[in-house]
Amino acid sequence: MHLTGLNAVELSALVETLGEPPYRGRQIFGALYRRRLRSFEEMMDLPKSFRAALAERATASTLTLESRYISEDGTRRYLMKTHDGLPVETVFIPEERRDTICFSSQSGCPLQCDFCLTAKLGLLRTLTAGEIVEQVVFALNDAYGVGVKTPRGTNLVAMGAGEPFLAFEPLMKALRIMADPAGLYIVPNRVTVSTAGVVPRIRELALIPDRPHLAISLAAPTDEQRDVLMPINRKWPLAELLAACREFELSLKPGERFTFEYVMLDGVNDSDEHARKLANLLNRHQLRAKVNLIPHNPADPLPYRPTPPAQVERFKNLLEAKGVHAYVRRPRGRDIYAACGQLAARRSGNNPQEQTLHQLS
Ligand code: SF4
């Protein structure tokens, strides 16, 4: 049994089955999520006999670090393995105002987005709530020290490997656990979930009161092109997707954010005509959400190149001229395969900054 991923009520119920009072459950909760301990041996405030009883039937952590890569811009990529040997990748992105952790919701991904290296892995497995929370615990400990308070709080983005809305239950459970003030205390307002367009889940999220911010990956302004770049479009075409987006936008409360993402592929979806079509599409559906323009992050064997900066700027201006707010996202961690669409359990690429587990210990 993996204790990371259990909430306070579940931990109390567990300790009761071991003949311990419920407050022991709260102690374990604090140890796992506030003190960010990953083994029972470190939980010195628990009696030795109780730690031994716990260790007999449960574990505090299941992910093991395989490699850590550090980019020249300070971004860190962690390649970890699940207990059944599957790759899990997490990225820590230092930022001026607030650092961000990008976590994975699946090992690999079943969606075949044509510009994404993760797609080449296929789906290996959906991660559990515990495996999602553990990625965040691991990255925080590595960046700041075990249990050390984060200097400016933390933002989370579910933009690593996998389609978060195909991991909806474990994802939402992990977010609830991480929001608990007695633990990590990362509230939904600090979290953004990015989807390729799983329409029923967008509708479901529109009904949830305490929810993360939402981002929708578009990549093309027409069904014809989106069918090729993001095959999920064949299941939920643009008209259906954008109708759900409109419902979601109408449900927004003050302070909530809703954005579109548009990966820019040189000579493919980045012409002036594409910009005009995209603006018209969003205006037709009365959508006011901002568009984040993401120059593609190249990676062999993907057949795409990033749009040159001048055309990215032109594209942005064309959108703005038609009343669509746009923002150009700066790529982070490209040199270590940590940028958007590059997570594919790469062991090193050309990066001399790889640190294997052996070197770290
Ligand atoms: S872009 Fe996201 S949803 Fe699409 S294949 Fe890659 S990881 Fe999956």
Side-chain angles (χ1 to χ4, degrees), residues 36-338:
R36 305 197 300 261
L37 303 179
R38 300 184 68 240
S39 72
F40 299 134
E41 298 89 77
E42 295 167 284
M43 301 178 189
M44 301 294 277
D45 52 337
L46 300 177
K48 205 171 171 190
S49 56
F50 180 44
R51 280 185 274 146
L54 277 175
E56 260 175 39
R57 63 200 75 202
T59 173
S61 59
T62 58
L63 296 180
T64 49
L65 181 69
E66 289 270 303
S67 301
R68 179 177 74 163
Y69 305 87
I70 303 177
S71 163
E72 53 195 24
D73 69 15
T75 300
R76 299 172 182 208
R77 173 166 71 99
Y78 309 104
L79 172 57
M80 296 186 259
K81 278 247 171 349
T82 61
H83 66 91
D84 46 349
L86 303 176
V88 175
E89 283 173 280
T90 314
V91 178
F92 176 84
I93 308 152
E95 282 171 303
E96 251 170 53
R97 281 192 301 174
R98 194 182 291 270
D99 301 329
T100 298
I101 295 169
C102 174
F103 65 86
S104 296
S105 50
Q106 298 183 305
S107 179
C109 183
L111 303 186
Q112 295 292 308
C113 301
D114 205 42
F115 47 82
C116 172
L117 206 55
T118 313
K120 307 291 173 219
L121 293 175
L123 175 65
L124 302 171
R125 170 163 74 70
T126 292
L127 299 180
T128 63
E131 287 163 341
I132 291 173
V133 177
E134 216 184 307
Q135 293 175 62
V136 175
V137 166
F138 188 92
L140 288 173
N141 283 350
D142 185 64
Y144 307 115
V146 176
V148 175
K149 214 168 170 300
T150 58
R152 300 171 295 268
T154 311
N155 284 342
L156 299 182
V157 292
M159 297 185 186
E163 163 51 58
F165 280 178
L166 296 180
F168 199 73
E169 279 84 18
L171 172 77
M172 296 312 279
K173 184 175 185 195
L175 295 187
R176 282 192 298 274
I177 289 171
M178 291 193 282
D180 195 315
L184 288 163
Y185 201 10
I186 305 174
V187 294
N189 190 35
R190 294 265 160 245
V191 184
T192 302
V193 173
S194 172
T195 177
V198 181
V199 165
R201 295 305 197 187
I202 297 170
R203 295 221 157 93
E204 204 170 327
L205 197 70
L207 303 173
I208 294 178
D210 268 341
R211 60 191 176 189
H213 303 298
L214 180 64
I216 310 269
S217 180
L218 278 182
T222 62
D223 279 324
E224 196 188 6
Q225 185 168 45
R226 198 164 186 270
D227 280 353
V228 176
L229 293 177
M230 299 183 73
I232 190 176
N233 196 68
R234 296 178 206 154
K235 192 169 170 85
W236 290 295
L238 279 168
E240 238 181 281
L241 173 62
L242 296 181
C245 289
R246 172 79 179 141
E247 275 171 43
F248 190 83
E249 201 168 76
L250 288 174
S251 79
L252 286 178
K253 296 189 287 289
E256 290 187 326
R257 275 197 310 276
F258 173 49
T259 47
F260 289 107
E261 321 257 281
Y262 193 92
V263 61
M264 297 202 64
L265 310 166
D266 185 25
V268 177
N269 65 352
D270 60 351
S271 69
D272 295 0
E273 188 56 21
H274 286 105
R276 279 190 279 271
K277 279 187 177 158
L278 178 61
N280 291 343
L281 182 73
L282 298 181
N283 287 335
R284 208 165 49 244
H285 286 269
Q286 297 174 287
L287 288 158
R288 298 278 157 265
K290 188 179 70 175
V291 179
N292 281 328
L293 299 173
I294 307 170
H296 172 64
N297 296 301
D300 274 349
L302 299 179
Y304 300 107
R305 291 180 313 272
T307 299
Q311 180 57 22
V312 175
E313 206 49 37
R314 195 178 154 84
F315 197 95
K316 173 179 181 287
N317 293 339
L318 285 166
L319 291 180
E320 302 239 317
K322 283 184 166 278
V324 174
H325 294 297
Y327 174 86
V328 180
R329 171 116 46 90
R330 192 161 53 101
R332 299 292 303 268
R334 254 186 193 169
D335 55 331
I336 56 163
Y337 286 90

